[in-house]
């Protein structure tokens, strides 16, 4: 008998896996915070004998090298991946004995990266699962444009061939267990569902139901923006990431917070957007801890810039630190726990701004003299936008503040989270801002004119 435990990295939209038998196990695409992997193995009572990477990841920093050092496990990395550390190079067809009657077989599946490798789990010679990394995802495939622009079309065609290889060589009932596709920007399209098989993908996956030319043309036309921090993940993984330090950061008091803001440091408030709008340190930015904190903070912050974290509780701070080390933001410069009352100096008052709905926007817009600012991505706006709105995606806003028109700003996204980030950036810049905390589908219901609407407004985040 074998087991497969899924380790969810929901903030990044990824999964890792602990796979094994009675005595030993393999870890597939481990996260950087390896303590949770070690704890999962301890609960199973197994020794980690192998660690495998499907590819050099572009969206997070791996924990594979450190996990191998701590456990003594063999570290298997695709042979064609250029790395600066000792590892066991993996070629197409290579096998590794994981436990009694349990084998892992490498399958070359280039496309997401040139060296991408899937791993087939076999029990007594029978395929029982395939770990597809960033190749075959649930209803889609991994994007081919993260390595080098000149390789994108070639990799898209390779992705099509790799998926067809999996479909041809594996039985329909084989479970497909990808790393990406649960909200990760490594996915070429929004994946749906939590589980799939080869047979299901044969019915619905565009890579398997379309010819290569049509598939490639549609795939390339639909590629979205690449998070800026991705440029740093591949090199970090190739160099060999350092161990993480999750101990509490230095404590910042009100004077220290003010001084850090005065020097241009980013002070990030992790509380929920409702609490932030009601009262916050003037000049601070709001990235909700329970949202896609790592993705959006790493995307927006100038790389390497010091960050001070403000949290509602020690637990919220610790969870945020864990999220951020996964994308290479290793140590906050300082942190404070509590609320605005303890974060601002005597004699100062918290800053605040209004929250509203699309129905409120209808009422206010008739009076004129306001600007509706859409901070969704280009692909979302193409699916429908409010007539007359200004469009600046949130991940570009901090560099384009001088392009924002004068007037009171009503900021919206698809669900409220990104509008809150944008509103905090604008509020810190001294603008009069209202955060529309509402689902975009409510815009039509409220009576706003939505141009080119496809009906769903995209993902509600």
């Amino acid at each position: 008998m074998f087991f497969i435990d899924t380790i969810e990295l929901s903030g990044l939209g990824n999964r890792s896996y602990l796979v094994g038998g009675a005595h030993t196990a393999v870890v597939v695409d481990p996260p950087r915070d390896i303590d949770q992997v070690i704890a999962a193995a301890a609960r199973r009572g197994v020794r980690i004998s192998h660690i495998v990477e499907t590819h050099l990841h572009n969206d997070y920093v791996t924990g594979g090298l450190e996990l191998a050092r701590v456990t003594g496990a063999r570290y298997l990395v695709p042979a064609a991946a250029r790395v600066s550390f000792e590892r066991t190079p993996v070629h197409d067809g290579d096998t590794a004995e994981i436990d009694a009657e349990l084998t892992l077989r490498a399958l070359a599946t280039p496309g997401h990266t040139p060296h991408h490798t899937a791993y087939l789990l076999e029990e007594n010679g029978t395929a029982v699962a395939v770990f597809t990394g960033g190749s075959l995802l649930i209803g889609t495939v991994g994007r081919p444009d993260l390595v080098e622009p000149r390789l994108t079309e070639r990799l898209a065609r390779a992705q099509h061939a790799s998926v067809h290889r999996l479909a041809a060589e594996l039985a329909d009932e084989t479970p497909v267990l990808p790393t990406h596709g649960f909200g990760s920007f490594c996915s070429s399209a929004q994946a749906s569902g939590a589980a799939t098989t080869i047979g299901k993908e044969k019915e619905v996956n565009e890579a398997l139901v379309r010819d290569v030319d049509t598939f490639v043309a549609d795939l390339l036309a639909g590629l979205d923006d690449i998070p800026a921090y991705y440029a740093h993940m591949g090199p970090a993984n190739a160099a060999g990431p350092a161990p993480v330090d999750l101990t509490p950061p230095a404590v910042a008091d009100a004077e220290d917070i003010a001084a850090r803001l005065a020097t241009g440091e980013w002070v990030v408030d992790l509380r929920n957007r409702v609490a932030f709008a009601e009262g916050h340190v003037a000049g601070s930015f709001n990235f909700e801890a329970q949202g896609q904190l790592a993705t959006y903070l790493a995307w927006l912050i100038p790389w390497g810039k010091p960050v001070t974290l403000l949290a509602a509780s020690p637990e919220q701070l610790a969870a945020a630190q864990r999220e951020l080390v996964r994308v290479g933001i290793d140590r906050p410069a300082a942190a404070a726990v509590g609320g605005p009352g303890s974060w601002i100096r005597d004699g100062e008052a918290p800053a605040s701004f209004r929250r509203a709905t699309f129905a409120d926007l209808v009422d206010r817009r008739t009076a004129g003299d306001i600007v509706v600012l859409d901070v969704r991505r280009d692909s979302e706006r193409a699916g429908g936008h409010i007539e007359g709105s200004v469009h600046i995606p949130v991940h570009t806003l901090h560099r384009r503040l001088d392009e924002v028109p004068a007037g009171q700003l009503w900021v919206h996204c698809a669900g409220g989270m990104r509008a809150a980030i944008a509103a905090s950036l604008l509020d810190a810049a001294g603008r009069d801002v209202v955060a529309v905390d509402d689902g975009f589908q409510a815009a039509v219901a409220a009576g706003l004119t939505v141009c080119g609407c496809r009906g769903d407004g995209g993902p509600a985040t």
Side-chain angles (χ1 to χ4, degrees):
M1 295 295 293
F2 66 92
F3 69 85
I4 300 175
D5 289 344
T6 301
I7 300 170
E8 294 279 359
L9 304 176
S10 56
L12 292 175
N14 287 328
R15 289 177 177 175
S16 296
Y17 302 94
L18 177 72
V19 186
H23 306 290
T24 51
V26 58
V27 182
V28 181
D29 288 345
R32 194 177 184 197
D33 47 325
I34 62 172
D35 56 338
Q36 61 176 320
V37 180
I38 294 171
R43 287 192 294 270
R44 284 287 186 177
V46 295
R47 176 178 62 87
I48 297 174
S49 61
H50 295 77
I51 300 155
V52 301
E53 302 281 6
T54 57
H55 60 294
L56 290 185
H57 303 282
N58 288 291
D59 62 329
Y60 71 93
V61 182
T62 181
L65 184 63
E66 177 65 4
L67 186 59
R69 185 189 69 80
V70 170
T71 63
R74 290 178 63 196
Y75 190 25
L76 279 61
V77 178
R82 297 182 179 180
V83 298
S84 302
F85 50 83
E86 292 295 323
R87 89 291 195 200
T88 300
V90 177
H91 301 85
D92 185 44
D94 286 353
T95 61
E97 300 299 321
I98 303 305
D99 202 278
E101 303 173 342
L102 203 60
T103 301
L104 208 62
R105 184 182 304 277
L107 299 173
T109 48
H112 185 49
T113 67
H115 59 264
H116 192 283
T117 301
Y119 296 91
L120 182 63
L121 183 67
E122 298 175 326
E123 185 179 40
N124 292 320
T126 300
V128 292
V130 60
F131 299 93
T132 54
S135 182
L136 178 60
L137 310 184
I138 300 178
T140 185
V141 296
R143 58 194 297 172
D145 61 329
L146 302 181
V147 177
E148 159 61 52
R150 291 171 295 181
L151 296 178
T152 296
E153 182 174 352
R154 187 188 315 169
L155 288 176
R157 291 182 178 277
Q159 189 73 295
H160 186 272
S162 292
V163 169
H164 277 262
R165 177 191 182 183
L166 294 172
E169 295 187 12
L170 303 180
D172 284 357
E173 62 270 19
T174 307
V176 174
L177 300 170
T179 299
H180 303 314
F182 309 95
S184 169
F185 280 88
C186 276
S187 177
S188 63
Q190 190 73 19
S192 60
T196 193
T197 63
I198 291 292
K200 290 179 181 177
E201 292 306 307
K202 285 181 177 179
E203 297 175 356
V204 302
N205 197 300
E206 292 189 355
L208 292 171
V209 300
R210 294 190 174 193
D211 66 87
V212 62
D213 291 332
T214 303
F215 166 77
V216 169
D218 289 348
L219 176 63
L220 299 184
L223 291 173
D224 216 329
D225 293 341
I226 300 173
Y229 74 93
Y230 276 26
H232 305 280
M233 300 296 96
N237 288 324
V244 300
D245 179 2
L246 293 175
T247 59
V251 177
D253 60 18
E255 290 291 342
D256 191 32
I257 292 169
R260 292 178 180 279
L261 282 168
T263 60
E265 184 174 308
W266 276 39
V267 175
V268 171
D269 192 326
L270 302 167
R271 296 176 302 146
N272 69 71
R273 57 186 182 258
V274 177
F276 183 87
E278 290 176 348
H280 55 270
V281 178
S284 62
F285 304 140
N286 183 215
F287 291 79
E288 292 181 302
Q290 63 267 46
Q292 291 178 284
L293 167 66
T295 295
Y296 281 100
L297 180 54
W299 197 340
L300 269 68
I301 192 170
W303 194 251
K305 195 173 188 67
V307 59
T308 291
L309 301 178
L310 307 180
S313 67
E315 293 76 18
Q316 186 179 72
L317 174 60
Q321 281 186 257
R322 184 175 291 274
E323 285 279 331
L324 294 177
V325 297
R326 294 171 181 164
V327 293
I329 301 178
D330 284 8
R331 291 291 294 168
V337 172
S342 60
W343 298 339
I344 59 176
R345 295 175 293 191
D346 291 342
E348 296 179 340
S352 64
F353 53 76
R354 182 185 167 195
R355 294 168 51 252
T357 65
F358 282 111
D360 297 324
L361 175 57
V362 171
D363 294 338
R364 178 65 181 83
R365 205 175 189 191
T366 57
D369 195 31
I370 68 167
V371 176
V372 179
L373 179 62
D374 181 349
V375 297
R376 297 173 302 156
R377 297 187 300 277
D378 292 345
S379 60
E380 295 172 276
R381 185 170 173 87
H385 62 274
I386 296 172
E387 185 179 37
S389 60
V390 175
H391 180 227
I392 303 178
V394 68
H395 58 274
T396 69
L397 180 60
H398 60 301
R399 302 190 304 270
R400 301 172 59 187
L401 291 173
D402 58 346
E403 298 178 31
V404 180
Q408 186 181 67
L409 300 168
W410 285 61
V411 187
H412 82 84
C413 59
M417 182 193 76
R418 289 172 292 172
I421 295 173
S424 72
L425 296 173
L426 293 162
D427 175 73
R431 298 299 303 269
D432 180 10
V433 63
V434 178
V436 179
D437 195 355
D438 205 355
F440 187 71
Q441 66 276 5
V444 175
L448 290 164
T449 301
V450 177
C451 306
C453 186
R454 65 177 182 232
D456 61 3
T461 55

